[in-house]
Amino acid sequence: MAYEEPITDYDHIVENCTCAFCGCNCDDLEFLVKDNHIVGVRHACRLGASKVMEDMDQRLMVPMIRGEDGELEEVDWDTALNKAAELIAGAVRPVFYGWSETSIETMKEGIALGEEVGAVLDNQATICHGPSLQAVQNAGYPVLTLGEAKNRADMIVYTGSNAMNSHPRHMARYSTFPRGYFRQRGRFDRTVVTMDPKYSDTAKMSDIWVGFEQNGDYEFYNAIRAVLKGKELKQDVISGIPKEDVYELVEAMKNTQFGVVFFGLGLTHTLSKQRNIDIAINMVQDLNKFTKWVLMPMRGHFNVNGFNIFMSYEMGFPFGVDFARGYPRYMMGETNTIDLLTRKECDVFMVIAADPGAHFPSGANKHLAEIPVIQIDIHWGPSTEIADVVLPGSFVGVEVGGTSYRMDGVPIFMKKAIDKPETCRDDEWIVRELKERVAKIKQAQVASK
Amino acid sequence: MTYVDKPAVPRVVKFDEPTATKRDKLDVMLNTGSDIYQGACKKRGSTLKDEYRKVSGVAYMDPKDMAKLGVNNWDSVLVTSDWGEVVVSAVHSRDAPHEGTIFIPKGPWANVVVSADTYCCCDPTYKGIMCTVERSDKEVLLMADLMRSVYKKYVDDDDDEGIEKLESLGEMPVYKKL
């Protein structure tokens, strides 16, 4: 990267903003504002800065409806909202997917709308840390806050996670580099271990890289558990790792004072899915017979944990909540977006603050091409190409305030820094408006009967 | 500033490398996942642009595998799995050596070939997918064209040739203004 001149041409600075990118929710950002636009961001990582200094070329500015010829046409807000409300009210099995890049306040309206029409409410956890949440229900959740990791941890394990690429400030702010109360020398007082088949950027800067083979995670953690229980390993090589290395690693893990396992999608996306995390949690439990160990999923979007926590508080289930029978139900593999789409069950799909076009497998997305799709988002993305009604929302944490939950479950209020574009609306306002319009249509249906 | 400025990776294997036996088709394992360049471009909202194709429509391959196939950086390759086939650019992996595996950053291109099977566990299998890689003459499609040709939402379903001949949707949003 070439040297870039510091930005000096700005009107004012907004301090202590919260980053609206990943689950780290770094809350020390400074936005440089000029003419109601953010021209620079201080302290953010590359991903956070790129999100805050968005590409205005492709910002969704106006509500649109797909016409007969297949082209999106600009319409006024009333027409777009009525069309969306009509689709939702007429649906038999609507799915409302997304919510992870918007505020808790919007989700509150979303639950009311979902209950009204008997929808399935699901969030991005279903395609990322859903298996982790199941494993937590199976095997427990040895929790910590990120502050504890910073102040106490002397061994950090990243497993199935490339933090340098997906949570770039995680190591710098919470785990590896910062000086903590009990770790006065920062990086020098900590050992970093990366367990990943890929020699990722995180592995490159770790002290130890355990490059077990693809789909070898389950076997490898079981081997660690066996050694922890004092068993002798019978094979010479476990998942591509020599057994001497396993003994050495276990010895190192036993001799720490406070160890943290951060795990990512490397564990949830392989074939053994939630069983991988079950066994990782059991490994942490076994390690606790010797010393203090804890575990945390590396959550992706800034509020993906918020939806899970909020849903659990309100409805008792973390995600994939089905209101079809009038009361909340939750059944793994039954009421989840991907399964509903691959079984071609869903008949109206609303996506809010998410991008199924970019992140769902094509096998699931093909059903979206057959049904009406309503999109509430801030950017033109792959989902816009398959959407029928597009409602431009606003950017939580920059253009509107809102509450979000960090990956360790700490709620943070994200403040507003600039005004939103005039033609856009708050996500919260859009969902509330949809709710009211749907309720009106439903009442009219009852009255006519 | 651009988001496609990647650390330069030298061409470490020449095509006449004695250990590289030239093949037309390679059996490889596909992994997908996030990548900082793909992430920055996606989160910025520039998904229609060429820069997104350059960071997301790529397969990071081991240089030895590329030598076996006889492809250079930014040559098109066809990746085929049980779930579909997609044309992406082959690029030297920064994490090599990892012969026999390729990495496509998550995005519309990777999604065409990953498995939608959740095995009743809500989560599709995005990693460890068996697929084949071969050389291709076709160009890597821009995001909007890719979505149109894969999902065929608003074009004639049966006529694959017809979709290929349609004019590209380009790098800017296409919609009718009031």
Side-chain angles (χ1 to χ4, degrees):
Chain A
M1 283 300 221
Y3 172 74
E4 282 173 37
E5 290 291 328
I7 299 160
T8 49
D9 181 25
Y10 56 88
D11 297 338
H12 64 281
I13 300 180
V14 187
E15 286 184 336
N16 297 328
C17 296
T18 308
C19 179
F21 172 64
C22 76
C24 294
N25 291 44
C26 303
D27 47 5
D28 58 345
L29 266 52
E30 290 178 4
F31 296 166
L32 310 182
V33 183
K34 182 182 164 69
D35 300 334
N36 201 34
H37 274 285
I38 293 176
V39 292
V41 185
R42 285 183 186 155
H43 304 164
C45 65
R46 185 181 201 166
L47 293 168
S50 81
K51 183 157 187 204
V52 173
M53 293 193 294
E54 56 191 319
D55 186 349
M56 286 305 281
D57 285 357
Q58 297 185 12
R59 179 72 193 252
L60 288 172
M61 298 296 270
V62 289
M64 291 179 282
I65 290 180
R66 182 91 52 181
E68 289 288 307
D69 56 349
E71 205 172 340
L72 283 170
E73 288 167 23
E74 183 183 341
V75 290
D76 57 46
W77 269 99
D78 241 3
T79 321
L81 285 168
N82 281 337
K83 171 86 179 165
E86 209 175 283
L87 287 171
I88 292 171
V92 178
R93 194 110 172 98
V95 174
F96 299 160
Y97 169 83
W99 310 103
S100 297
E101 301 217 338
T102 185
S103 57
I104 299 285
E105 290 79 358
T106 311
M107 294 172 197
K108 191 165 174 250
E109 302 292 340
I111 288 193
L113 176 62
E115 273 194 293
E116 174 81 37
V117 295
V120 174
L121 260 73
D122 206 356
N123 85 326
Q124 277 96 330
T126 193
I127 55 161
C128 62
H129 271 295
S132 314
L133 297 169
Q134 291 173 64
V136 164
Q137 289 163 358
N138 289 347
Y141 192 19
V143 287
L144 78 159
T145 63
L146 290 169
E148 277 180 272
K150 177 190 149 199
N151 285 320
R152 294 169 188 274
D154 62 343
M155 188 180 238
I156 312 279
V157 178
Y158 284 99
T159 170
S161 165
N162 185 2
M164 286 310 286
N165 272 221
S166 52
H167 304 75
R169 280 189 88 202
H170 192 271
M171 294 178 97
R173 197 169 139 86
Y174 300 116
S175 69
T176 307
F177 293 101
R179 295 165 187 214
Y181 189 84
F182 297 105
R183 303 288 165 240
Q184 296 283 339
R185 294 186 302 146
R187 177 72 176 87
F188 305 106
D189 282 348
R190 306 181 206 265
T191 313
V192 182
V193 184
T194 300
M195 301 177 185
D196 203 325
K198 191 175 178 235
Y199 185 54
S200 61
D201 292 340
T202 313
K204 284 170 199 165
M205 58 187 302
S206 307
D207 300 311
I208 302 166
W209 172 48
V210 185
F212 50 72
E213 60 195 34
Q214 185 72 36
N215 289 332
D217 358 30
Y218 191 79
E219 190 185 352
F220 180 70
Y221 297 131
N222 265 322
I224 291 186
R225 289 190 67 200
V227 175
L228 282 171
K229 293 191 168 173
K231 300 272 194 302
E232 193 76 18
L233 294 178
K234 285 186 181 152
Q235 280 172 306
D236 289 338
V237 177
I238 294 105
S239 297
I241 307 294
K243 74 173 175 188
E244 292 76 23
D245 290 7
V246 178
Y247 287 128
E248 199 183 320
L249 180 68
V250 170
E251 208 46 44
M253 287 170 105
K254 272 156 70 173
N255 290 326
T256 55
Q257 290 177 342
F258 189 102
V260 190
V261 179
F262 291 109
F263 67 96
L265 301 185
L267 261 62
T268 63
H269 281 171
T270 47
L271 280 177
S272 26
K273 298 190 194 288
Q274 88 273 33
R275 295 297 170 205
N276 271 333
I277 298 135
D278 279 4
I279 219 72
I281 294 174
N282 287 336
M283 178 184 80
V284 167
Q285 287 168 354
D286 290 343
L287 279 164
N288 270 297
K289 295 200 178 88
F290 301 94
T291 181
K292 176 74 180 167
W293 273 82
V294 281
L295 163 136
M296 189 193 291
M298 299 281 281
R299 306 309 300 267
H301 304 277
F302 67 91
N303 207 7
V304 61
N305 201 16
F307 183 85
N308 300 142
I309 290 176
F310 177 68
M311 258 340 218
S312 307
Y313 276 155
E314 294 280 323
M315 296 297 160
F317 305 117
F319 64 101
V321 184
D322 181 6
F323 290 102
R325 294 187 186 170
Y327 54 89
R329 277 169 77 238
Y330 157 83
M331 183 75 205
M332 202 43 66
E334 194 69 36
T335 62
N336 292 105
T337 313
I338 300 289
D339 299 277
L340 287 166
L341 289 177
T342 46
R343 286 200 309 266
K344 299 186 183 296
E345 230 177 77
C346 142
D347 64 345
V348 167
F349 192 82
M350 181 169 87
V351 43
I352 170 165
D355 208 336
H359 300 140
F360 283 1
S362 60
N365 265 346
K366 275 184 181 136
H367 185 56
L368 291 185
E370 294 160 13
I371 58 170
V373 177
I374 302 157
Q375 187 193 21
I376 304 173
D377 207 347
I378 54 173
H379 284 298
W380 190 292
S383 301
T384 318
E385 302 292 334
I386 45 176
D388 295 276
V389 182
V390 180
L391 305 166
S394 49
F395 192 168
V396 177
V398 176
E399 292 164 1
V400 283
T403 313
S404 72
Y405 281 74
R406 205 163 69 181
M407 61 163 79
D408 55 356
V410 174
I412 290 174
F413 184 75
M414 312 178 75
K415 69 178 177 188
K416 174 186 162 164
I418 56 171
D419 294 324
K420 61 176 180 292
E422 267 178 34
T423 46
C424 297
R425 299 281 187 274
D426 288 358
D427 292 355
E428 192 186 344
W429 181 88
I430 296 172
V431 180
R432 191 186 316 126
E433 199 64 24
L434 282 176
K435 183 186 79 184
E436 281 161 14
R437 281 166 206 246
V438 167
K440 219 175 266 174
I441 297 173
K442 289 261 170 190
Q443 276 164 14
Q445 280 171 353
V446 173
S448 67
K449 272 177 194 166
Chain B
M1 183 168 67
T2 165
Y3 288 89
V4 293
D5 275 351
K6 289 182 195 163
V9 181
R11 253 187 62 192
V12 286
V13 179
K14 297 200 180 78
F15 292 139
D16 52 8
E17 174 100 358
T19 54
T21 325
K22 198 161 174 180
R23 309 234 202 100
D24 293 333
K25 209 180 213 181
L26 278 182
D27 287 319
V28 292
M29 182 183 266
L30 164 70
N31 280 325
T32 72
S34 59
D35 170 81
I36 193 159
Y37 307 103
Q38 164 267 329
C41 191
K42 168 82 184 66
K43 289 296 161 185
R44 188 162 165 253
S46 314
T47 47
L48 286 169
K49 294 187 177 170
D50 185 45
E51 57 181 291
Y52 190 52
R53 168 170 67 171
K54 283 240 166 66
V55 293
S56 211
V58 294
Y60 289 104
M61 293 178 71
D62 189 290
K64 281 194 176 168
D65 284 342
M66 288 176 72
K68 284 179 205 163
L69 275 181
V71 291
N72 274 317
N73 257 345
W74 301 110
D75 282 357
S76 299
V77 288
L78 179 74
V79 179
T80 315
S81 75
D82 290 352
W83 292 273
E85 54 177 45
V86 67
V87 178
V88 290
S89 309
V91 179
H92 280 296
S93 170
R94 301 186 303 277
D95 304 327
H98 50 71
E99 265 184 275
T101 57
I102 62 169
F103 181 84
I104 305 183
K106 65 176 167 193
W109 290 269
N111 288 337
V112 181
V113 285
V114 299
S115 152
D117 283 342
T118 67
Y119 305 101
C120 243
C121 182
C122 79
D123 206 354
T125 312
Y126 286 108
K127 291 180 168 72
I129 292 153
M130 300 314 292
C131 61
T132 60
V133 187
E134 56 199 298
R135 259 173 303 162
S136 170
D137 307 327
K138 288 185 186 161
E139 209 186 324
V140 184
L141 293 176
L142 279 169
M143 187 278 281
D145 300 334
L146 180 87
M147 297 300 283
R148 182 173 64 185
S149 70
V150 173
Y151 301 111
K152 304 183 182 112
K153 186 153 184 173
Y154 297 102
V155 286
D156 194 6
D157 282 37
D158 313 319
D159 191 8
D160 276 336
E161 292 277 306
I163 295 173
E164 277 178 26
K165 279 183 196 130
L166 286 177
E167 206 184 326
S168 168
L169 290 166
E171 297 184 34
M172 291 299 278
V174 180
Y175 67 96
K176 274 186 205 153
K177 292 183 180 146
L178 259 185

